Amino acid sequence: MLTTNSTTVSTKTLKAAQECLGHLTEGTGAIVAEFKALQMIAEDTGLPLDGQIMSDCEQMFIAINRLMYDQQSKLKHLQMMKKVGDLAEKTVGNLRRQHAGKTGKKQESTLFNQAV
């Protein structure tokens, strides 16, 4: 079943949220890299770190990274749908103006009823 999101969000807000999510995904990726580096150092030097704890922490940040990408994708979808909606409104507005110009009448909301 197709669902729609009727939440109205400004383009500026969407861009700000995407920027924040971008920083989070980069940050969690960097943390994963640091965990991997620390694990390699521990293996090479015999540093007494619990490998299971390090691996669990790494996996948590990998999951966070993946979830942030999921949220970023949803915001990109909202942004695209906002652009599509704005374009549709502009198109209908142009058609109404053209129709009003041809008939010499004031713009009417029944533009498409007359085509039938």
Side-chain angles (χ1 to χ4, degrees), residues 24-26 28-29 60-69:
L24 284 169
T25 54
E26 288 175 18
T28 54
M60 283 190 289
F61 280 104
I62 288 171
I64 291 168
N65 183 269
R66 186 173 39 254
L67 291 169
M68 292 301 98
Y69 271 112

Side-chain angles (χ1 to χ4, degrees), residues 1 16 21 77 86 104:
M1 177 178 192
L21 282 169
H77 171 72
D86 292 347

Side-chain angles (χ1 to χ4, degrees), residues 8-68:
T8 304
V9 181
S10 74
T11 303
K12 190 174 187 178
T13 301
L14 283 170
K15 286 182 181 179
Q18 283 182 325
E19 186 175 321
C20 288
L21 282 169
H23 291 300
L24 284 169
T25 54
E26 288 175 18
T28 54
I31 290 171
V32 169
E34 294 298 328
F35 270 107
K36 287 184 181 290
L38 188 55
Q39 286 173 324
M40 289 178 192
I41 290 169
E43 288 173 9
D44 288 351
T45 63
L47 191 63
L49 293 177
D50 187 327
Q52 185 61 48
I53 290 173
M54 297 303 294
S55 178
D56 290 347
C57 289
E58 177 187 348
Q59 291 304 310
M60 283 190 289
F61 280 104
I62 288 171
I64 291 168
N65 183 269
R66 186 173 39 254
L67 291 169
M68 292 301 98

